[in-house]
mmCIF file of all heavy atoms in Angstrom:
data_model
loop_
_atom_site.group_PDB
_atom_site.id
_atom_site.type_symbol
_atom_site.label_atom_id
_atom_site.label_comp_id
_atom_site.label_asym_id
_atom_site.label_seq_id
_atom_site.Cartn_x
_atom_site.Cartn_y
_atom_site.Cartn_z
ATOM 1 N N VAL T 339 25.723 -134.758 84.370
ATOM 2 C CA VAL T 339 24.971 -135.904 83.800
ATOM 3 C C VAL T 339 25.356 -135.969 82.358
ATOM 4 O O VAL T 339 25.371 -135.040 81.546
ATOM 5 C CB VAL T 339 23.439 -135.609 83.888
ATOM 6 C CG1 VAL T 339 22.666 -136.717 83.070
ATOM 7 C CG2 VAL T 339 23.019 -135.739 85.364
ATOM 8 N N LYS T 340 25.737 -137.202 81.915
ATOM 9 C CA LYS T 340 26.165 -137.364 80.555
ATOM 10 C C LYS T 340 25.621 -138.725 80.092
ATOM 11 O O LYS T 340 25.853 -139.803 80.727
ATOM 12 C CB LYS T 340 27.668 -137.405 80.319
ATOM 13 C CG LYS T 340 28.271 -135.971 80.381
ATOM 14 C CD LYS T 340 29.743 -136.018 80.083
ATOM 15 C CE LYS T 340 30.414 -134.600 80.194
ATOM 16 N NZ LYS T 340 30.458 -134.158 81.639
ATOM 17 N N LEU T 341 24.825 -138.761 78.954
ATOM 18 C CA LEU T 341 24.406 -139.927 78.408
ATOM 19 C C LEU T 341 25.027 -139.945 77.013
ATOM 20 O O LEU T 341 24.767 -139.132 76.177
ATOM 21 C CB LEU T 341 22.860 -139.996 78.244
ATOM 22 C CG LEU T 341 22.208 -141.192 77.563
ATOM 23 C CD1 LEU T 341 22.445 -142.406 78.427
ATOM 24 C CD2 LEU T 341 20.788 -140.949 77.333
ATOM 25 N N GLU T 342 25.891 -140.935 76.842
ATOM 26 C CA GLU T 342 26.705 -141.011 75.544
ATOM 27 C C GLU T 342 25.734 -140.942 74.353
ATOM 28 O O GLU T 342 24.671 -141.774 74.386
ATOM 29 C CB GLU T 342 27.411 -142.216 75.551
ATOM 30 C CG GLU T 342 28.618 -142.338 74.606
ATOM 31 C CD GLU T 342 29.315 -143.752 74.579
ATOM 32 O OE1 GLU T 342 29.153 -144.427 75.671
ATOM 33 O OE2 GLU T 342 29.979 -144.017 73.673
ATOM 34 N N GLY T 343 26.042 -140.118 73.457
ATOM 35 C CA GLY T 343 25.207 -139.959 72.226
ATOM 36 C C GLY T 343 23.966 -139.063 72.362
ATOM 37 O O GLY T 343 23.324 -138.722 71.438
ATOM 38 N N ALA T 344 23.720 -138.582 73.559
ATOM 39 C CA ALA T 344 22.515 -137.690 73.814
ATOM 40 C C ALA T 344 23.023 -136.244 73.870
ATOM 41 O O ALA T 344 23.440 -135.805 74.925
ATOM 42 C CB ALA T 344 21.772 -138.187 75.006
ATOM 43 N N SER T 345 22.883 -135.625 72.722
ATOM 44 C CA SER T 345 23.421 -134.285 72.660
ATOM 45 C C SER T 345 22.420 -133.117 72.829
ATOM 46 O O SER T 345 22.714 -132.037 72.873
ATOM 47 C CB SER T 345 24.169 -134.046 71.321
ATOM 48 O OG SER T 345 23.303 -134.321 70.306
ATOM 49 N N VAL T 346 21.098 -133.545 72.875
ATOM 50 C CA VAL T 346 19.997 -132.588 72.995
ATOM 51 C C VAL T 346 19.420 -132.667 74.339
ATOM 52 O O VAL T 346 19.046 -133.784 74.827
ATOM 53 C CB VAL T 346 18.903 -132.868 71.869
ATOM 54 C CG1 VAL T 346 17.771 -131.920 72.116
ATOM 55 C CG2 VAL T 346 19.526 -132.661 70.583
ATOM 56 N N GLY T 347 19.418 -131.524 75.056
ATOM 57 C CA GLY T 347 18.807 -131.361 76.344
ATOM 58 C C GLY T 347 17.497 -130.544 76.321
ATOM 59 O O GLY T 347 17.623 -129.446 75.796
ATOM 60 N N LEU T 348 16.485 -131.006 76.821
ATOM 61 C CA LEU T 348 15.178 -130.246 76.808
ATOM 62 C C LEU T 348 14.517 -130.349 78.071
ATOM 63 O O LEU T 348 14.639 -131.247 78.923
ATOM 64 C CB LEU T 348 14.155 -130.913 75.735
ATOM 65 C CG LEU T 348 14.563 -130.781 74.310
ATOM 66 C CD1 LEU T 348 13.597 -131.663 73.408
ATOM 67 C CD2 LEU T 348 14.341 -129.278 73.821
ATOM 68 N N ASN T 349 13.851 -129.257 78.351
ATOM 69 C CA ASN T 349 12.927 -129.318 79.568
ATOM 70 C C ASN T 349 11.848 -130.192 79.549
ATOM 71 O O ASN T 349 11.015 -130.077 78.522
ATOM 72 C CB ASN T 349 12.504 -127.768 79.805
ATOM 73 C CG ASN T 349 12.361 -127.444 81.362
ATOM 74 O OD1 ASN T 349 11.953 -126.309 81.616
ATOM 75 N ND2 ASN T 349 12.649 -128.242 82.221
ATOM 76 N N ALA T 350 11.699 -131.147 80.343
ATOM 77 C CA ALA T 350 10.648 -132.122 80.352
ATOM 78 C C ALA T 350 9.379 -131.767 81.191
ATOM 79 O O ALA T 350 8.319 -132.258 80.952
ATOM 80 C CB ALA T 350 11.177 -133.539 80.616
ATOM 81 N N GLY T 351 9.696 -131.044 82.175
ATOM 82 C CA GLY T 351 8.604 -130.641 83.110
ATOM 83 C C GLY T 351 9.075 -129.777 84.186
ATOM 84 O O GLY T 351 10.230 -129.756 84.543
ATOM 85 N N ARG T 352 8.130 -129.153 84.807
ATOM 86 C CA ARG T 352 8.424 -128.260 85.909
ATOM 87 C C ARG T 352 7.250 -128.232 86.909
ATOM 88 O O ARG T 352 6.059 -128.346 86.527
ATOM 89 C CB ARG T 352 8.643 -126.836 85.401
ATOM 90 C CG ARG T 352 8.932 -125.801 86.479
ATOM 91 C CD ARG T 352 10.412 -125.713 86.854
ATOM 92 N NE ARG T 352 11.432 -125.508 85.780
ATOM 93 C CZ ARG T 352 11.936 -124.326 85.411
ATOM 94 N NH1 ARG T 352 11.364 -123.254 85.871
ATOM 95 N NH2 ARG T 352 12.831 -124.288 84.459
ATOM 96 N N SER T 353 7.523 -128.180 88.163
ATOM 97 C CA SER T 353 6.505 -127.997 89.215
ATOM 98 C C SER T 353 6.834 -126.953 90.116
ATOM 99 O O SER T 353 8.068 -126.744 90.476
ATOM 100 C CB SER T 353 6.453 -129.371 89.943
ATOM 101 O OG SER T 353 5.631 -129.245 91.107
ATOM 102 N N ILE T 354 5.922 -126.113 90.479
ATOM 103 C CA ILE T 354 6.234 -125.066 91.507
ATOM 104 C C ILE T 354 5.126 -125.174 92.591
ATOM 105 O O ILE T 354 3.979 -125.234 92.282
ATOM 106 C CB ILE T 354 6.360 -123.693 90.913
ATOM 107 C CG1 ILE T 354 6.940 -122.710 91.887
ATOM 108 C CG2 ILE T 354 5.141 -123.241 90.118
ATOM 109 C CD1 ILE T 354 7.636 -121.564 91.290
#
Side-chain angles (χ1 to χ4, degrees):
Chain T
V339 171
K340 287 186 182 71
L341 178 68
E342 197 183 338
S345 58
V346 176
L348 290 168
N349 209 182
R352 178 82 57 91
S353 167
I354 188 155

